[in-house]
Amino acid sequence: MSEEPTLDEPKRRPTIGDVAKAAGVSPSTASRALTGQGYAAAAVKAKVLAAADQLGYVPDEFARSLKRRTNRLVGVVISDLRNQFYADLAAGIEQVLGAAGYQMVLVNDDGDTDRELAGVRTLLAMRVPGTIVTPLSSEAGALLTSQGVRVVEVDRQMAESQCDAVLVDSEHGARAATGHLLELGHRRIAFLIDELEWTTGVGRLTGYREALRERGVDYDPELVVRVGFGEGSAATAIASLLEVRPDVTAVFAANNLMAEGVWQEMQRRKLRVPKDVSLVAFDDLPWMSMVQPAVSAVSQPVVAMGAKAAELLLARLSGTLTGDPRTVWLEPTFERRGSTRRLPG
Amino acid sequence: MSEEPTLDEPKRRPTIGDVAKAAGVSPSTASRALTGQGYAAAAVKAKVLAAADQLGYVPDEFARSLKRRTNRLVGVVISDLRNQFYADLAAGIEQVLGAAGYQMVLVNDDGDTDRELAGVRTLLAMRVPGTIVTPLSSEAGALLTSQGVRVVEVDRQMAESQCDAVLVDSEHGARAATGHLLELGHRRIAFLIDELEWTTGVGRLTGYREALRERGVDYDPELVVRVGFGEGSAATAIASLLEVRPDVTAVFAANNLMAEGVWQEMQRRKLRVPKDVSLVAFDDLPWMSMVQPAVSAVSQPVVAMGAKAAELLLARLSGTLTGDPRTVWLEPTFERRGSTRRLPG
DNA sequence: CTGTTAGCGCTTTCAT
DNA sequence: ATGAAAGCGCTAACAG
């Protein structure tokens, strides 16, 4: 019979006791040598390290966390990794966390509050000292803070939550985009929005309305279309709106998913952008500058937002930052591209 | 003084002992009631559950894992969340894992073997029973298996690794794409590849060469361009190649990143696709069907690949699947779109 | 059906 | 500078 380990046999991993024995010292000395905490003679330390290396010893983080009553895990709750927005956010977070020796634990909530709560429960069970969340409900954050877990909200903020947050100035971005359309002479601008429960939705709508008000253009509620979350919802929504309101000359899609839907629908209907209808998006994605014409969009510093959130959290965890909750605002920039044109006449 | 918890005070979380006390039973009984393992009178169970709920008790996974000597964590090692390919992969994995009550622990290696090893060490420390990796080196996988951790490789396979794998038939996909170009009359087809160390790179190149051979077209090594990993590398590479070899009529970019680079460079040089040069990509992304003309591409079932890998791993962990390593092959499909045209004459 | 006991692997006083 | 002992929170034997 071969000595090759088969795929099916389990394996007892070396403990600090094994290392200690191999080095001829006590477990406590081995611990001190390994962690660098406390005294350990240089010679002993070397011997322990060698033994550990030889045995392929990797300390059990669970046992360590149990003893130390803390760990270097950070929970991250997002909605959908397949949406590049969230993926970029996670990437930004991971980058900062990793550099600080923290490990990210990603939880997907799929936009579902039940799953969000379940995810939070998982993180609680893992005793993460801190979390970064794109909140769906206020319960999740409340539960976390009630258990003493640090929370930083990113992208959007739940009204009740008394925690740090890193946000993009949606209102400003939406006002810039809408203002741009208005300056080009557009007056009937459709606004597609998928939610009005979060600060993002509200902020974007507010920015839209403010731009109208600034230019003395009447707000027409019929032009504000509430879009569902499913794939194709935006396409359907814009299709029906154009049916009823063929006088619409421009569309403002309040996120990248809806922008994609609208863009697809335009292609399908052989509507020319920007000749037949102008288009602007909130949240810039690579494809928007690759299509013809490129889509004008409000660009958010997504990776930076994630990074900033991680920094804030780390500062809280280390005690560098104390006191009242901080809200960090990041400014989006409006990228004018080819999808908008001046209305003739 | 207010009783509101401030942001800065720590918090002692309730233990199973607290729950037991509140319910007037012993910790072991509380444990049995909570986990459902072992006997517990209905009335007692209810009382314990109520107490736990009331205290907001969440079992400590670390303590539990320490005792049970196993846990429901799965480590996932990928290169770059910002690349939609990896994000989709992670999403597919997460979906299956989550449904089975497992938690994914994501580790980013940024394409760096040192970081890969560090990540593996982290996973080892977390005592994950299984991992899913897009391998960079064979050491990482070897270390994992040597410690008795189950490994499933996705996307690519390290030669030495004796572990399960879920792969896409690169060779077949590349042959289809190249064959398509050949049938359109192209003879001088540039092939852009970023690595030849992995099965993906080798497979794609092999497919390219096989297609040439099948049609009796000579293989011209000069047309195979080794591209760096950095942003813009592909653009530079194709630019220099076209300088030397203006006779190239088609380009095959072996992944989505390089396809994007080439596409950008075409725009910059005002080269018409497919009039001046035809383009095909390996790994289909949404933007490829949105640009004009849409890019013909070999489409990989990325999410399914992640899901399948997770299923395989779960089967191993549960003991449903035993015995020799399995390799699951997934078939890519070639999507013909507008970026290729028949060569006149 | 329930409580007592022991111990998972580690770190940390506290003596020495 | 080192070791012995205790204990983090939990569960699994084992008695009862």
Side-chain angles (χ1 to χ4, degrees), chain A residues 275-309:
Chain A
K275 193 167 189 299
D276 301 325
V277 52
S278 287
L279 173 64
V280 299
F282 200 108
D283 191 27
D284 192 17
L285 244 43
W287 68 261
M288 296 183 186
S289 34
M290 301 180 77
V291 296
Q292 194 54 252
V295 180
S296 301
V298 178
S299 180
Q300 309 188 80
V302 186
V303 177
M305 182 158 55
K308 188 71 208 173

Coordinates of all heavy atoms in Angstrom, one line a residue, chain A residues 275-309:
Chain A
K275 N -29.8 61.2 -31.0 CA -30.7 61.9 -31.9 C -32.1 61.8 -31.5 O -32.8 62.9 -31.3 CB -30.5 61.3 -33.3 CG -31.1 62.1 -34.4 CD -30.6 61.6 -35.8 CE -31.0 62.5 -36.9 NZ -32.4 62.7 -37.1
D276 N -32.6 60.6 -31.2 CA -34.0 60.5 -30.8 C -34.2 60.7 -29.4 O -35.2 61.3 -28.9 CB -34.5 59.1 -31.2 CG -34.4 58.8 -32.7 OD1 -34.6 59.8 -33.5 OD2 -34.1 57.7 -33.1
V277 N -33.3 60.3 -28.6 CA -33.4 60.5 -27.2 C -32.0 60.5 -26.5 O -31.1 59.8 -26.9 CB -34.3 59.4 -26.5 CG1 -33.9 58.0 -26.9 CG2 -34.4 59.6 -25.0
S278 N -31.9 61.5 -25.6 CA -30.6 61.6 -24.9 C -30.6 60.6 -23.7 O -31.7 60.3 -23.1 CB -30.4 63.0 -24.4 OG -30.0 63.8 -25.5
L279 N -29.4 60.2 -23.3 CA -29.4 59.3 -22.1 C -28.2 59.6 -21.2 O -27.1 59.9 -21.6 CB -29.2 57.8 -22.7 CG -28.9 56.7 -21.6 CD1 -30.1 56.5 -20.7 CD2 -28.5 55.4 -22.4
V280 N -28.5 59.6 -19.9 CA -27.5 59.8 -18.9 C -27.7 58.7 -17.8 O -28.8 58.3 -17.6 CB -27.4 61.2 -18.2 CG1 -27.2 62.3 -19.2 CG2 -28.7 61.4 -17.4
A281 N -26.6 58.3 -17.2 CA -26.7 57.3 -16.2 C -26.1 57.7 -14.9 O -25.2 58.6 -14.9 CB -25.9 56.0 -16.7
F282 N -26.5 57.1 -13.9 CA -25.8 57.3 -12.6 C -25.1 56.0 -12.3 O -25.6 55.0 -12.4 CB -26.9 57.6 -11.5 CG -26.2 58.3 -10.3 CD1 -26.5 59.6 -10.0 CD2 -25.4 57.6 -9.4 CE1 -26.0 60.2 -8.9 CE2 -24.8 58.2 -8.4 CZ -25.1 59.5 -8.1
D283 N -23.8 56.2 -12.0 CA -22.8 55.1 -11.8 C -22.2 54.7 -13.1 O -22.9 54.0 -13.9 CB -23.5 53.9 -11.1 CG -22.4 52.9 -10.7 OD1 -21.3 53.3 -10.4 OD2 -22.7 51.7 -10.6
D284 N -21.0 55.1 -13.3 CA -20.3 54.9 -14.5 C -19.7 53.4 -14.6 O -19.2 53.0 -13.6 CB -19.2 55.9 -14.6 CG -18.6 55.9 -16.0 OD1 -19.2 55.4 -17.0 OD2 -17.5 56.5 -16.1
L285 N -19.8 52.8 -15.7 CA -19.2 51.5 -15.9 C -18.4 51.5 -17.2 O -18.7 52.2 -18.1 CB -20.2 50.4 -15.9 CG -20.3 49.4 -14.8 CD1 -20.1 50.0 -13.4 CD2 -21.6 48.6 -14.8
P286 N -17.4 50.6 -17.2 CA -16.5 50.6 -18.4 C -17.3 50.5 -19.8 O -16.9 51.2 -20.7 CB -15.7 49.3 -18.2 CG -15.5 49.2 -16.8 CD -16.9 49.7 -16.2
W287 N -18.3 49.7 -19.8 CA -19.0 49.6 -21.1 C -19.6 51.0 -21.6 O -19.8 51.2 -22.8 CB -20.1 48.6 -21.1 CG -21.3 48.9 -20.2 CD1 -21.6 48.4 -18.9 CD2 -22.5 49.7 -20.5 NE1 -22.8 48.9 -18.5 CE2 -23.4 49.6 -19.4 CE3 -22.9 50.4 -21.7 CZ2 -24.6 50.3 -19.4 CZ3 -24.1 51.1 -21.7 CH2 -24.9 51.0 -20.5
M288 N -19.9 51.8 -20.6 CA -20.5 53.1 -21.0 C -19.6 54.0 -21.9 O -20.0 54.8 -22.7 CB -20.9 53.9 -19.8 CG -22.0 53.1 -19.0 SD -22.6 54.1 -17.6 CE -23.7 52.9 -16.8
S289 N -18.3 53.8 -21.7 CA -17.4 54.6 -22.6 C -16.9 53.7 -23.8 O -16.1 54.2 -24.6 CB -16.2 55.1 -21.8 OG -15.8 54.3 -20.8
M290 N -17.4 52.5 -23.9 CA -17.0 51.7 -25.0 C -18.1 51.6 -26.1 O -17.8 51.4 -27.3 CB -16.7 50.3 -24.5 CG -15.6 50.3 -23.5 SD -15.2 48.6 -22.9 CE -14.3 48.0 -24.3
V291 N -19.4 51.8 -25.7 CA -20.4 51.8 -26.7 C -20.4 53.1 -27.5 O -19.8 54.0 -27.2 CB -21.8 51.6 -26.0 CG1 -21.9 50.3 -25.3 CG2 -22.1 52.8 -25.1
Q292 N -21.1 53.0 -28.6 CA -21.2 54.1 -29.5 C -22.7 54.6 -29.6 O -23.5 53.8 -30.1 CB -20.7 53.7 -30.9 CG -20.4 54.8 -31.9 CD -19.5 55.9 -31.3 OE1 -19.9 57.0 -31.0 NE2 -18.2 55.6 -31.1
P293 N -23.0 55.8 -29.2 CA -22.2 56.8 -28.6 C -21.9 56.4 -27.1 O -22.7 55.7 -26.5 CB -23.0 58.0 -28.7 CG -24.4 57.5 -28.6 CD -24.4 56.3 -29.3
A294 N -20.8 56.9 -26.6 CA -20.5 56.6 -25.2 C -21.6 57.3 -24.3 O -22.1 58.4 -24.7 CB -19.1 57.1 -24.9
V295 N -21.9 56.6 -23.2 CA -23.0 57.1 -22.4 C -22.4 58.1 -21.3 O -21.5 57.8 -20.6 CB -23.6 56.0 -21.6 CG1 -24.8 56.5 -20.7 CG2 -24.2 54.9 -22.6
S296 N -23.0 59.3 -21.3 CA -22.7 60.3 -20.3 C -23.1 59.8 -19.0 O -24.2 59.2 -18.8 CB -23.4 61.6 -20.6 OG -23.0 62.1 -21.9
A297 N -22.3 59.9 -18.0 CA -22.6 59.3 -16.7 C -22.0 60.0 -15.5 O -21.0 60.7 -15.6 CB -22.2 57.8 -16.7
V298 N -22.7 59.8 -14.4 CA -22.2 60.3 -13.1 C -21.3 59.2 -12.6 O -21.7 58.1 -12.3 CB -23.3 60.5 -12.1 CG1 -22.8 61.0 -10.8 CG2 -24.3 61.6 -12.6
S299 N -20.0 59.5 -12.5 CA -19.0 58.5 -12.1 C -18.8 58.6 -10.6 O -18.4 59.6 -10.1 CB -17.8 58.8 -12.9 OG -16.8 57.9 -12.6
Q300 N -18.9 57.4 -10.0 CA -18.7 57.4 -8.5 C -17.3 56.7 -8.2 O -16.9 55.8 -8.9 CB -19.7 56.5 -7.9 CG -21.1 56.8 -8.2 CD -22.1 56.0 -7.4 OE1 -22.4 56.4 -6.2 NE2 -22.6 54.9 -7.9
P301 N -16.6 57.2 -7.2 CA -15.3 56.7 -6.9 C -15.6 55.4 -6.0 O -15.4 55.4 -4.8 CB -14.7 57.8 -6.0 CG -15.8 58.6 -5.5 CD -17.0 58.4 -6.4
V302 N -16.0 54.3 -6.7 CA -16.5 53.2 -6.0 C -15.4 52.5 -5.2 O -15.5 52.2 -4.0 CB -17.1 52.2 -7.0 CG1 -17.7 51.0 -6.2 CG2 -18.1 52.8 -7.8
V303 N -14.2 52.2 -5.9 CA -13.2 51.5 -5.2 C -12.7 52.4 -4.0 O -12.5 51.8 -2.9 CB -12.0 51.2 -6.1 CG1 -10.8 50.6 -5.3 CG2 -12.4 50.3 -7.2
A304 N -12.6 53.6 -4.2 CA -12.1 54.6 -3.1 C -13.1 54.6 -2.0 O -12.8 54.6 -0.8 CB -12.0 56.0 -3.7
M305 N -14.4 54.4 -2.3 CA -15.4 54.4 -1.3 C -15.2 53.2 -0.4 O -15.3 53.3 0.8 CB -16.8 54.4 -2.0 CG -18.0 54.4 -1.0 SD -19.5 55.0 -1.8 CE -19.6 53.9 -3.2
G306 N -15.0 52.0 -1.0 CA -14.7 50.8 -0.3 C -13.5 51.0 0.6 O -13.5 50.6 1.8
A307 N -12.5 51.5 0.0 CA -11.2 51.7 0.7 C -11.4 52.6 1.9 O -10.9 52.3 3.0 CB -10.1 52.3 -0.2
K308 N -12.1 53.7 1.7 CA -12.3 54.7 2.8 C -13.1 54.0 3.9 O -12.8 54.3 5.1 CB -13.1 55.9 2.2 CG -13.3 57.0 3.2 CD -11.9 57.7 3.4 CE -11.9 58.4 4.8 NZ -10.6 58.9 5.1
A309 N -14.1 53.3 3.6 CA -14.9 52.6 4.6 C -14.0 51.7 5.4 O -14.2 51.6 6.6 CB -16.0 51.8 3.9

